[in-house]
Amino acid sequence: MESGKQLTWTLALSVFTAVLGSLQYGYSLGVINAPQRVIQRHYGRALGVLSVRTLLPSENSTADGGSQEEEVHPSVVMYWSLSVAMFSVGGMVSSFLVGFVGDLRGRVKGMLAVNVLAVVAGLLMGLCQMWKPHIMVISGRAVMGFYCGLTSGLVPMYIGEIAPQAYRGALGTLHQLAIVVGILLSQVIGLDFLLGNDSMWPLLLGLSGAPALLQSVLLPLCPESPRYLYIKQGKEQEARKSLLRLKGDYDPTPDLEEMRREKEEAEKEAQVSIASLVRSSLYRQQLFVALMMHLSQQLSGINAIFYYSTAIFHRAGVSQPVYATIGVGVINTIFTMVSVALVDRAGRRTLTLIGLAGMCVCAIAMTVGLVYQAAHTWMSYVSMSAIFLFVCFFEIGPGPIPWFIVAELFSQGPRPAAIALAGCCNWTSNFVVGLTFPYIEALLGSYVFILFAVLLFGFTVFIYLRVPETKGKTFEEIAAEFQKGRKQQSSGHGTATEMEQLKSSTDAMEMEQLKSSTDAMEMEQLKSSTDAMEMQQLKSSTDAMEMEQLKSSTDAMEMEQLKSSTDA
């Protein structure tokens, strides 16, 4: 294997340690769903609104428990909705701080510092029965969301900067793999006979902070990002040492030279903040692509599948929908690993296009199955197959790629601000889908996934037309690709404008030449006129002098003759 491109133990340890934060993110994302009925009962008990009908067994504790209709007090519904939503709100707020935290003391120290938030959140939820559980859980979920908003940006940033170019895609995909493993883990241990029961659910929620403890132990063993050390801190020797630790015994001069060029380019520009990034025309195309990639991930309908898969399986006639949901989590994990193997071979753009197009077809098939399953029982199998395939296509490309492609699209200067904006876009769209999907489903019924099919088709067309392939390219080459695309786009759409400008320029030049010619002629005429006048004046003056001299000579002669005559 070529020197400097091999996978070393230090690199493996660094990536594993970083994605523990991603694992925690996935666990926190999925842990709240399994024990929903149990938590709602405790909320009702704490609020004093518990009714007899809410004392039904949990959804996954009996074969027919999920089919019984439960009546939940509006206050309980409100606090439960806050418990779910505050996680996204915390992530939306903190995603803006990713660049600040990452640049303040470095990527490694940034991840280490924010682990305090995860531990605090785990304690709030794990000890929730010591006070008012609804207040403690909501507070813990908000703090955990704040932590996950930071780590969802810091982890891809760190991995993207330490990964060798040949493995940047595969290692970047591990962020999404850790998320889906976390979701699957929360679904499994959230089963009623494990921790999703009346006595163990606080521990289930409290374990959200456990990966942070392990990560805090391992992070001091991980080298800092060499790009951060060289470009942000100007510490070339420390960057060299970090490269040697990450990539083994090789010549780091080419990597350092690339960083030097990037540093010189960054120093020519002003500091790129979020506001300046939004206003800058130089990065506008990259930013638009980054935001659309994240929107395609969240507005694809995948969160509707994750949040409401149990209800969808129940409508499809599955007797134990919670186990079918776990099956979705298993498929989720398997195909993310497939993406890890393919992303550096097939390419980011290709896998994203395959994933979005496949999801579009599955959304249509899912709609057909849901609409006609009442008339044809076998249509329920169409719906379930479409759900599983939908998840498969999502994890091939649209799931993992947006997280790390943002770090590839931007150079060191604007990268933190771009990741912050993309993360906020991701969290906001996640929150909007989770909040509005029940109302959209009530409005559209079985046709709800047609809306997502339309969005997926639009995203597929956009990716095909506007997103370049970044596989195997340096950050400089990717930036050049966008500059080339910007020039081509300007050439394609601005021909008439350019012709008009050319015509205007030509007319202006002709007018200038004409004016110059006219001025020259006028000057020549003026000069000629002036010369003529001067000659005329000179001639007149000469004539006058000659006449004066002649007169004086004549007078002198006459006087001389008169004098001679008189003397005679």
Side-chain angles (χ1 to χ4, degrees):
M1 186 177 292
E2 188 176 344
S3 180
K5 294 186 177 181
Q6 64 269 27
L7 296 175
T8 64
W9 284 108
T10 303
L11 179 62
L13 174 65
S14 300
V15 173
F16 170 78
T17 303
V19 299
L20 285 174
S22 310
L23 176 75
Q24 191 160 273
Y25 172 28
Y27 184 90
S28 301
L29 195 64
V31 72
I32 199 73
N33 296 322
Q36 176 179 350
R37 303 303 182 198
V38 176
I39 296 174
Q40 285 180 339
R41 286 201 298 272
H42 281 267
Y43 281 8
R45 199 172 290 135
L47 294 167
V49 295
L50 187 67
S51 64
V52 175
R53 292 193 67 187
T54 59
L55 291 174
L56 294 171
S58 78
E59 189 173 292
N60 55 9
S61 61
T62 64
D64 58 350
S67 64
Q68 299 185 44
E69 184 180 356
E70 296 188 19
E71 181 180 342
V72 184
H73 193 275
S75 297
V76 174
V77 173
M78 181 189 71
Y79 282 109
W80 169 256
S81 299
L82 286 174
S83 301
V84 176
M86 288 306 292
F87 180 76
S88 296
V89 172
M92 288 163 53
V93 173
S94 66
S95 58
F96 280 110
L97 301 175
V98 170
F100 172 76
V101 174
D103 287 344
L104 183 63
R105 298 296 300 276
R107 305 349 182 188
V108 172
K109 291 181 180 178
M111 289 188 287
L112 186 61
V114 300
N115 279 339
V116 175
L117 297 172
V119 174
V120 170
L123 290 174
L124 283 171
M125 292 184 286
L127 303 175
C128 63
Q129 287 188 312
M130 296 180 66
W131 193 48
K132 298 178 180 179
H134 51 291
I135 301 298
M136 297 278 279
V137 170
I138 291 172
S139 301
R141 291 280 294 174
V143 175
M144 184 59 75
F146 196 89
Y147 162 81
C148 290
L150 291 170
T151 196
S152 64
L154 290 172
V155 171
M157 185 190 301
Y158 178 67
I159 294 177
E161 290 179 356
I162 68 172
Q165 182 178 314
Y167 301 103
R168 199 170 58 212
L171 296 180
T173 308
L174 293 178
H175 169 67
Q176 178 70 11
L177 177 61
I179 291 175
V180 299
V181 169
I183 293 173
L184 177 61
L185 184 64
S186 69
Q187 290 173 337
V188 172
I189 66 176
L191 291 170
D192 183 71
F193 61 86
L194 293 176
L195 297 182
N197 50 55
D198 199 61
S199 59
M200 302 296 290
W201 69 270
L203 176 60
L204 176 68
L205 298 184
L207 286 175
S208 298
L213 297 175
L214 177 59
Q215 190 184 54
S216 298
V217 173
L218 295 177
L219 275 174
L221 305 177
C222 302
E224 182 55 84
S225 162
R227 304 189 78 85
Y228 170 80
L229 291 172
Y230 191 103
I231 299 174
K232 287 291 184 181
Q233 300 292 307
K235 300 176 179 178
E236 182 177 351
Q237 292 305 315
E238 292 189 24
R240 181 184 295 271
K241 293 177 183 178
S242 180
L243 283 170
L244 292 173
R245 287 185 63 191
L246 288 166
K247 298 186 178 183
D249 187 13
Y250 86 115
D251 181 14
T253 304
D255 289 334
L256 290 171
E257 179 62 22
E258 181 201 346
M259 295 180 201
R260 184 191 62 79
R261 292 195 299 268
E262 189 174 335
K263 179 179 173 63
E264 289 177 353
E265 290 295 323
E267 288 174 347
K268 294 178 183 178
E269 305 170 1
Q271 183 66 29
V272 182
S273 63
I274 292 177
S276 60
L277 178 63
V278 173
R279 293 193 299 264
S280 173
S281 60
L282 181 63
Y283 304 113
R284 188 165 297 154
Q285 189 173 352
Q286 291 100 310
L287 182 61
F288 188 47
V289 167
L291 296 181
M292 288 296 287
M293 291 287 285
H294 276 271
L295 285 175
S296 70
Q297 183 194 76
Q298 293 299 322
L299 300 184
S300 63
I302 191 65
N303 283 330
I305 298 292
F306 287 155
Y307 290 156
Y308 304 100
S309 57
T310 301
I312 293 172
F313 283 127
H314 174 65
R315 288 177 59 188
V318 178
S319 59
Q320 290 281 5
V322 67
Y323 293 107
T325 301
I326 292 176
V328 171
V330 173
I331 296 294
N332 207 11
T333 304
I334 292 172
F335 275 85
T336 305
M337 289 189 285
V338 172
S339 179
V340 171
L342 292 179
V343 70
D344 279 319
R345 298 179 183 178
R348 289 77 155 133
R349 182 175 181 270
T350 303
L351 290 181
T352 303
L353 285 172
I354 292 173
L356 290 173
M359 292 170 73
C360 181
V361 173
C362 290
I364 296 172
M366 203 182 310
T367 302
V368 172
L370 291 173
V371 169
Y372 291 103
Q373 70 180 7
H376 307 283
T377 55
W378 57 270
M379 277 291 180
S380 62
Y381 297 103
V382 174
S383 300
M384 289 186 289
S385 300
I387 289 176
F388 282 105
L389 289 174
F390 190 91
V391 173
C392 294
F393 280 115
F394 175 78
E395 294 302 347
I396 284 177
I401 290 174
W403 287 114
F404 68 85
I405 199 172
V406 179
E408 294 184 332
L409 295 178
F410 292 88
S411 59
Q412 190 75 17
R415 185 179 295 132
I419 289 177
L421 275 175
C424 181
C425 176
N426 191 288
W427 281 92
T428 304
S429 52
N430 186 345
F431 174 73
V432 169
V433 170
L435 190 67
T436 60
F437 181 77
Y439 302 100
I440 298 174
E441 185 184 30
L443 179 65
L444 300 179
S446 297
Y447 294 93
V448 65
F449 284 96
I450 286 293
L451 173 62
F452 293 115
V454 172
L455 290 172
L456 286 163
F457 179 77
F459 288 129
T460 304
V461 173
F462 174 84
I463 300 297
Y464 179 78
L465 295 176
R466 300 293 297 275
V467 180
E469 181 55 69
T470 61
K471 179 189 70 172
K473 296 180 180 178
T474 65
F475 296 113
E476 287 180 324
E477 291 170 341
I478 295 169
E481 187 79 21
F482 274 102
Q483 290 176 0
K484 178 182 176 183
R486 187 160 49 243
K487 291 177 182 177
Q488 289 176 346
Q489 183 182 4
S490 176
S491 175
H493 293 285
T495 303
T497 304
E498 290 175 1
M499 290 297 293
E500 186 66 29
Q501 290 174 347
L502 182 60
K503 183 180 178 183
S504 302
S505 177
T506 305
D507 292 344
M509 291 175 65
E510 291 176 352
M511 289 297 292
E512 186 66 28
Q513 291 173 353
L514 181 60
K515 183 179 178 183
S516 301
S517 177
T518 304
D519 291 344
M521 290 175 66
E522 290 176 352
M523 288 296 292
E524 186 65 30
Q525 290 173 354
L526 181 61
K527 182 179 180 183
S528 301
S529 177
T530 303
D531 291 344
M533 290 175 65
E534 289 177 351
M535 289 296 291
Q536 186 67 30
Q537 290 173 353
L538 181 61
K539 182 179 180 183
S540 299
S541 176
T542 304
D543 292 344
M545 289 175 66
E546 289 177 352
M547 288 298 291
E548 186 66 30
Q549 290 174 355
L550 181 62
K551 182 179 180 182
S552 298
S553 176
T554 303
D555 290 343
M557 289 175 67
E558 289 178 351
M559 287 297 292
E560 186 66 32
Q561 290 173 357
L562 180 61
K563 182 178 178 182
S564 299
S565 177
T566 301
D567 291 343

